[in-house]
Amino acid sequence: TSQHGRLAKIDDEGVSFTSHLDGSLHRFTPERSVEIQHALAADIFFAFDECTAPTEPYEYQKKAMERTHRWAERSLKAHRQRLSVGSCKPQAIFGIAQGGQFDDLRKISAKTIAEMGFDGFGLGGSFSKKYGNDSLQSALEMLKELPPEMPVHGLGIGEPGDILAAISAGADIFD
């Protein structure tokens, strides 16, 4: 179990957090996340994942990556079940790889997510120069593990130069 700040608690089943607005307790699991995203009826949504701080050590990044893979499987299963009973409009679910600032973990995670059968890939990670000038390049290396036809969404890539670098590496859409 990890503590992220004072408001959230992460365990293998999901995340519990206390609202900063009213102190109420909330619980999210991969299944609950899919349920909410289906209700929102977005055309594209993302599997539940644990986005770690880039300063977390290797051992924790590996544990969070493995948890993200288990949550990705649960997210896919919940999504497919909802689609099979016709309880929602067709939506695309994208998987997200993890691994922090560790290239070996990012590579393993991208390959694992790519093999799960997602409709696309969410390229996440820290792109801040604060954590090293090559952090974006390191994240873009993950794209080599994906099938070339898999759509890639750059999550939170905002600097013009970073967007251009991501496009050249294969990213298709951005937020």
Side-chain angles (χ1 to χ4, degrees):
T1 304
S2 172
Q3 291 285 347
H4 283 225
R6 290 173 289 153
L7 301 176
K9 184 176 180 181
I10 299 170
D11 59 49
D12 285 339
E13 291 304 309
V15 179
S16 298
F17 69 94
T18 305
S19 169
H20 70 285
L21 298 175
D22 64 7
S24 59
L25 183 64
H26 300 270
R27 179 77 173 160
F28 283 97
T29 63
E31 295 79 10
R32 179 72 176 130
S33 174
V34 167
E35 178 184 352
I36 291 168
Q37 293 183 90
H38 276 224
L40 292 172
D43 294 325
I44 298 170
F45 71 95
F46 297 89
F48 199 59
D49 73 311
E50 180 180 352
C51 182
T52 60
T55 54
E56 291 285 352
Y58 186 91
E59 295 75 26
Y60 188 82
Q61 297 288 4
K62 184 174 186 213
K63 181 178 176 180
M65 176 195 75
E66 291 166 347
R67 179 180 294 126
T68 289
H69 295 166
R70 290 189 301 274
W71 286 356
E73 289 172 346
R74 289 171 55 195
S75 294
L76 264 174
K77 180 179 178 186
H79 173 64
R80 289 176 178 152
Q81 284 174 336
R82 293 183 68 81
L83 287 177
S84 72
V85 297
S87 64
C88 61
K89 74 173 194 158
Q91 294 170 280
I93 183 171
F94 283 28
I96 302 172
Q98 291 298 335
Q101 302 298 12
F102 300 100
D103 291 342
D104 62 325
L105 295 180
R106 286 183 186 216
K107 189 175 188 176
I108 291 166
S109 192
K111 184 173 174 38
T112 301
I113 293 297
E115 293 172 350
M116 286 185 181
F118 283 99
D119 300 311
F121 183 80
L123 177 66
S126 172
F127 305 119
S128 170
K129 306 298 184 234
K130 178 179 176 181
Y131 301 107
N133 289 333
D134 63 346
S135 59
L136 175 63
Q137 191 55 45
S138 175
L140 295 176
E141 286 295 312
M142 289 191 292
L143 301 182
K144 293 178 180 175
E145 301 303 317
L146 306 178
E149 69 279 1
M150 180 177 263
V152 175
H153 180 96
L155 295 161
I157 302 174
E159 297 293 323
D162 293 347
I163 291 171
L164 294 174
I167 290 168
S168 340
D172 303 296
I173 54 178
F174 301 88
D175 58 33

